[in-house]
Structure formats: structure tokens, C-alpha cells
Amino acid sequence: MAGLQKKSLDAPDEQFRNEGIAADVVQVGDAAIARHIFQPGAHCALGGGRMAGSHRADKSCYAAHTGLILSGQLHVEMDDGSTLDVGPNDVYNIPPGHDGWVIGDQPLQAVNWAGVRTWIPEHESGERVVATLMFTDIVGSTERAVQIGDTAWRELLGEHNRLIRQLLDRYRGREITTTGDGFLAIFDGAARAIRAAIAIRDAATGLGLAVRIGVHTAEVELVGDDVRGVAVHEASRIAATAGAGEIYVSATTQVLSVGADLSFTDLGTRDLKGLQGSRQLYAVS
């Protein structure tokens, strides 16, 4: 258990400046906390993260934000046309698929404690980096939707998505995309990705859902707000091989996690659909 800890946003661990937006970030335990300052005319969807260099036609912000307005006024418009105005002392939750900008001439100052890692960019577009990829997928989602009905399923899926985004932020993962009933996320550490996978599996179980998860570490290419390369397909196939409640990882990920107090079961080699040669896989115990 972590001991007492404090950090000042006046001495941040990271800083981001772009398009009239300033963000100061501190990492406290497993939480990323950011102070954002929006100048009049600056747009959330042009600020950073999955938006910087984005090739999306709608230019929406695809991070989820939870935070507190300290000063100024923010107007938010969702892709579905719904709107929200928030001001000083308002606590907000803004789902992905939105834009937001300052109302009036006063800069906006806010503190964010969700969506920070997804929103702030880490690499230039086209850069090749070694990263750990994680695919998640709800097992039996169609059958569950039929069982409980469309409305209840939408609510359950929304809660599932909210919890996953919260856990990605906690373990410094970055959401790349959703796959209908799952996620593709990227991490800067293999052990951290596995711990996130365990937390996601446990959270899904608490909702009465079973997920399968695949984790793979390799070199990938970052292109705008997307990640590309054979490694993406490999991580997806590893996830597809797993069963309900199982987390499978590649040999590379397992080796990089040695010493991190994680337990694995050797699954031997497996053939992955569409990929040449067999792959050594491990199950997280």
C-alpha cells in the first residue's frame, strides 16, 4: 500500500501546451490529475491526445473527462446534439464524442481526474515505438443483450465502458478505439498493462460480465490517433484465443513482466489465425 503522498500542480510531472490550451499533470499513486487552462476560442477537440493530428472527419474529442471547474464557463456539445454548460464549482462527466469551448472572455480553469492519458499526446505521428497492446472483449455479449433487452444492455455496456476508461487512466493506459463491446488500449509498460487487465476482468465480473483479454508487447507505428502494425493483429488474435475470464499474454510480455510479482501458466504454443508460425502464450493466473 502506498504511503502518504502529495504533489503540486505548480511543479507538474508533465506539461502540455497547444492551441490555446495548457495542461499541467501530476501522477499521484496510480492516478493522473491535470489542471487545464483553456483560453477563449480554444476547443477541447483541437487540444491534444487522440485529437492532435487526427484524421477524423468530425474532429471530436474521444477522451472521457471527469473533473471540477475552478473558474470560467465551458460549453460542451456532444456528437448526438446534446449540450451542457458548466461553471465554477460544477463537477462534470463528459463522455467521448464531444467538443467544448470557453463561453465569454474569461479563461477556463479546471481540474481533471479522468481521461487525462487519453487526451494528452505522447508521440509524434508516424513514430515507431515499442509498446504493450491490450485487447478486451465481452464474451457472450449478443446473448446477454437478448436476455436483458436493448435498454438494459445499453446501460450495462455504458457502465462497462466507464469502468474500463477509469481503469485505463489509473494504470496509465491510452484508449485507442472501442470495438463495440471491447477496447484496444496501449501502455508504456508490460506489467502495468497486465495489472490493468486483471483490474478490468475483476470489474467486469462485478457487473456480471465475462471478458477475455489479450496482451502483447512489440514495435508499433503511431499514426495520428491510431496504432498500426502486425503487433495489433497479433494482440487481437491472442485475445480471441482466450476464454471467458481469461487473460492471455505473449512470451515477450511475460518476459518483460518477470519480477513484477505476477503469476503465469505456460500454455505452450498456439497457432493464431492469419499469422504464420505458432506463438508461445501464457495465461495470467
Side-chain angles (χ1 to χ4, degrees):
M1 180 181 297
L4 290 172
Q5 184 181 15
K6 76 170 185 177
K7 289 188 177 179
S8 172
L9 286 166
D10 292 329
D13 298 322
E14 304 171 55
Q15 291 184 308
F16 167 70
R17 304 287 187 268
N18 188 42
E19 301 283 347
I21 299 175
D24 298 315
V25 184
V26 293
Q27 187 76 30
V28 181
D30 54 15
I33 311 295
R35 176 178 58 196
H36 294 148
I37 298 177
F38 281 57
Q39 298 299 326
H43 284 245
C44 177
L46 298 177
R50 296 165 59 79
M51 292 68 69
S54 173
H55 299 292
R56 293 182 184 274
D58 56 15
K59 300 298 183 185
S60 293
C61 175
Y62 278 80
H65 306 291
T66 303
L68 167 69
I69 301 294
L70 300 178
S71 61
Q73 299 282 335
L74 177 69
H75 176 75
V76 180
E77 291 191 0
M78 301 298 299
D79 290 348
D80 64 8
S82 58
T83 64
L84 180 71
D85 290 334
V86 287
N89 297 319
D90 287 339
V91 177
Y92 56 84
N93 182 68
I94 304 171
H98 65 271
D99 193 9
W101 56 89
V102 177
I103 302 173
D105 298 328
Q106 181 183 3
L108 173 83
Q109 185 170 189
V111 173
N112 243 38
W113 54 82
V116 175
R117 295 294 174 191
T118 299
W119 188 78
I120 293 179
E122 292 185 346
H123 304 284
E124 295 296 325
S125 178
E127 183 180 0
R128 294 192 66 85
V129 300
V130 174
T132 299
L133 303 171
M134 179 178 71
F135 269 95
T136 75
D137 177 55
I138 299 175
V139 179
S141 58
T142 301
E143 293 82 355
R144 186 64 183 278
V146 171
Q147 178 188 24
I148 66 176
D150 290 343
T151 300
W153 173 248
R154 282 195 299 270
E155 292 178 355
L156 181 59
L157 185 61
E159 180 65 8
H160 161 272
N161 292 350
R162 184 190 68 80
L163 284 173
I164 287 188
R165 290 185 172 113
Q166 184 181 64
L167 290 169
L168 289 179
D169 229 35
R170 179 180 300 172
Y171 290 95
R172 296 175 60 181
R174 291 169 56 82
E175 176 186 340
I176 299 299
T177 188
T178 58
T179 58
D181 52 7
F183 282 76
L184 166 61
I186 188 170
F187 294 79
D188 61 3
R192 189 177 295 116
I194 294 173
R195 291 195 176 99
I198 294 170
I200 288 170
R201 179 187 61 188
D202 294 347
T205 300
L207 294 175
L209 297 171
V211 296
R212 56 175 148 238
I213 302 177
V215 184
H216 177 48
T217 307
E219 188 175 77
V220 298
E221 183 180 6
L222 301 177
V223 181
D225 52 12
D226 201 3
V227 57
R228 298 178 184 174
V230 175
V232 178
H233 301 287
E234 191 162 350
S236 175
R237 297 306 185 197
I238 292 171
T241 303
E246 293 182 327
I247 302 168
Y248 284 6
V249 307
S250 66
T252 306
T253 302
Q254 190 272 336
V255 168
L256 291 172
S257 302
V258 170
D261 196 26
L262 295 165
S263 299
F264 302 92
T265 300
D266 189 338
L267 300 173
T269 58
R270 302 285 182 91
D271 292 328
L272 302 181
K273 183 178 179 181
L275 298 174
Q276 292 184 345
S278 58
R279 303 294 197 279
Q280 179 74 39
L281 299 182
Y282 293 84
V284 178
S285 302

